[in-house]
Amino acid sequence: MSTLRSDTILIIDFGSQVTQLIARRVREVGVYSEIVPFQSALEGFKRINPQAVILSGSPYSAVDDGSPRVPMEIFNAGIPVLGICYGEQIMCVQLGGKVEAGHEREFGRALLDIKEESALFDGVWEKGSSHQVWMSHGDRVVALPEGFHVIGTSHGAPYAAIADEKRRFYALQFHPEVVHTTDGAKLLKNFVYKISGLKNNWSMTAYRKQAVAAIRKKVGKSHVICGLSGGVDSSVVAILLHEAIGDQLTCVFVDHGLMRKNEVEEVLTLFREYYNINLVHVNAADMFINALEDETDPEKKRKIIGRLFIEVFEEETKKIGGAEFLAQGTLYPDVIESVSAIGEPVTIKSHHNVGGLPKRMKMQLIEPLRELFKDDVRSLGRELGLPEQFIERHPFPGPGLAVRCPGAITREKLEILREADAIYLDEIRKAGLYGKIWQAFAVLLPVQTVGVMGDARTYEFVCALRAVTSVDGMTADFYPYDMEFLSKVATRIINEVRGINRVVYDITSKPPGTIEWE
C-alpha cells in the first residue's frame, strides 16, 4: 500500500548493514524516505521522483570491475546527492575522481578535522574543530572530481568529507547515521532541510489520514480478514483497518498455545470489549503443539507455524463466507530484509508472507504498515489511541515461545517457560526497567543439570534470561543488570517454578539480524 506524499528522499542501498538507519534518521526529522536496492535504483528513482538522493555504504570495493554503480540519471537530475562511505567513493569514481585500495584502513572511532565551512556543517561543526566519527573503510579517495573541495579530513582519509556546493553534491567517508558519530543526525538534518529544502510533512497524523484513504480505495466494499496476535504491529493494523472499513473487517486471533502468560485474555478483552471489533478466537493450541512436538530445528518450527496459520485462516475465511484480502503487520524492515542488496531475494522471516501468499488462497495481501519502522508503528498506535501497555510491549515473534524453547517442544516445557518468563517480566516492571529495555525474555534451554535443593538432588532444566537494548531493532547489546536484581529474579524462578534448578544470564551482544533467540 502506498500513501500520498510530496517530499521524499531516495536511499540507494549498496548492501550496508546500517542502511535502514539512514532512512530512520531522515524520517525522525519529519521527511519521508524510501530505500531501494542498487539493482533497481533507476526504476525506483523514476517511480519515486525524489527531491534528494543518499547513497549508502557497501561491502563492495569501488575499484573492482563490476562493482555497483549509481545511474548517471541521478547525478544529471539537478537534485542534491549525499554519498556515505562507499557512496562517496563511487560518486568520485563516476564523476572523474580516483579511488585506490591498499591504503591504511580505518575502522571504528576516528577524529574528523573540519577544514572548511559548509552547508552540511552549518550550525553543527565549525572550521578548525575536531569531532568523533565512525569509519569503516579500506579503500579511500585519492583524487577529487572537478568542482569538489575538501571540507574535512581524518588520519586515514585525506578526503573524509567533500563538497561540490554548486551542484549540491556532498560525500562523507564516515557514517553519520550511526550514534557513534557525534551529531551525525544533525548533519543529515542539514542535508534534508538546508541543502535539499524539503518540508516537514512526515507525521503519524498525516500518515493515518492517508492510510485510511488508501485502505478504503484499495478494499472498496470487499471483506478483509486480519491475523491478530496482540503484538503492537497486528494491533495497530487491526485498529487502522477498523477505522477505515468498520464491519468489513474480521480479525482472527489464533491461540497457538505459544503465547506468554495471560496474553490470550488481554487480547480478547481489549479488542472485543474496548474496540468492539469483529473478532474470532480460534483455540488451535493442540494443532500447533502436536505438529511441533518432535521438531528441534528452529527454522522448521517457524515454517510449521507459518503453514498452520495459513490453514487456520483458510478455514476461518470459509466460515465467514469468504474474504478478498488478508491483512498482516509487515513492517518496512521485513520488506527490506527480504530483498538482499548483494544477491538474490531472500526470505529473512519465514513466518511473514513478504513475498506473497500461496496461490490457492485466492486473496490479496494488504499491509498498511509496510512503509513503517517499529517506532513509527508505536507512534501510529498512540495516534489511534491504543493503550500504552500494548504499544510498549516488548517485541514477540510470530512463532511465540516455540523459538524460546530450543529443542523438542512439550506442553510441560512450555508451561515451565511461560511461568519463568512471567516472573522475569514482573520483576523488570517492579524495578522500573521495562521501558529501558528493548526486549527481555526467558529461554528454556534443552539442557538438564543436577542440582541440590534443600536436602534433595534435582535433575531439572536451565533457564536463560535475556535483556537487550536497541535503538533500531537491527543491532543489540545486553542490558547491564546489577547482581542484586539478577539474584532476586533467579531466586524467584527457582523457588516458584518447578522444573528449573539453574538460571543464567545471556550477555552476548548481537549484530544486525539476530535480535531474537534462535
Side-chain angles (χ1 to χ4, degrees), residues 361-378:
M361 289 196 71
K362 298 180 181 179
M363 284 195 288
Q364 300 178 56
L365 272 177
I366 184 166
E367 301 167 309
L369 311 183
R370 191 178 175 90
E371 298 175 338
L372 304 183
F373 289 101
K374 178 70 80 172
D375 51 350
D376 295 328
V377 175
R378 289 195 170 107

Side-chain angles (χ1 to χ4, degrees), residues 21 36 74 94 116 153-154 165 205 250 260 385 432 463 510:
L21 290 183
V36 297
I74 291 176
Q94 290 187 235
E116 298 291 342
T153 66
S154 71
E165 309 277 0
T205 300
T250 298
R260 291 174 289 203
C463 175
K510 295 295 175 183

Side-chain angles (χ1 to χ4, degrees), residues 226-230 251-268 272 279-290 292 305 308-309 312-313 316 396 398-401 411 414-415 418:
C226 175
L228 182 65
S229 69
C251 288
V252 176
F253 174 46
V254 180
D255 177 7
H256 52 17
L258 304 166
M259 302 288 284
R260 291 174 289 203
K261 188 174 182 179
N262 298 327
E263 281 192 332
V264 173
E265 294 78 11
E266 291 173 1
V267 172
L268 294 177
R272 279 182 175 166
L279 176 62
V280 176
H281 174 214
V282 182
N283 187 344
D286 287 343
M287 176 196 298
F288 279 83
I289 295 173
N290 288 342
L292 290 166
I305 292 167
L308 292 178
F309 265 124
V312 171
F313 286 130
E316 294 306 316
F396 191 58
L401 299 181
R411 287 167 174 78
L414 289 173
E415 194 56 36
R418 194 173 282 116

Side-chain angles (χ1 to χ4, degrees), residues 237 328-332 334-335 352-354 367-371:
V237 167
Q328 65 178 25
T330 303
L331 302 190
Y332 198 35
D334 299 328
V335 176
H352 275 273
N353 303 295
V354 179
E367 301 167 309
L369 311 183
R370 191 178 175 90
E371 298 175 338

Side-chain angles (χ1 to χ4, degrees), residues 68-86:
R69 293 293 190 264
V70 181
M72 289 306 296
E73 288 89 339
I74 291 176
F75 292 128
N76 296 329
I79 62 175
V81 180
L82 172 64
I84 296 174
C85 197
Y86 178 87

Side-chain angles (χ1 to χ4, degrees), residues 212 215 224-253 267 270-272 275-280 326-330 366-369 377 380-381 384 386 390:
V212 167
I215 290 168
V224 179
I225 188 169
C226 175
L228 182 65
S229 69
V232 64
D233 303 339
S234 67
S235 297
V236 169
V237 167
I239 297 168
L240 185 64
L241 285 166
H242 187 250
E243 179 174 302
I245 59 174
D247 289 342
Q248 292 169 245
L249 169 70
T250 298
C251 288
V252 176
F253 174 46
V267 172
L270 176 70
F271 288 93
R272 279 182 175 166
Y275 282 105
N276 196 30
I277 291 176
N278 294 331
L279 176 62
V280 176
L326 172 64
Q328 65 178 25
T330 303
I366 184 166
E367 301 167 309
L369 311 183
V377 175
L380 181 57
L384 292 166
L386 186 66
F390 281 82

Side-chain angles (χ1 to χ4, degrees), residues 84-85 112 125 133-135 160-161 172-177 181 187:
I84 296 174
C85 197
L112 181 77
W125 293 342
V133 297
W134 190 261
M135 291 285 190
L172 307 171
Q173 185 60 72
F174 60 90
H175 289 271
E177 69 272 30
T181 293
L187 301 185

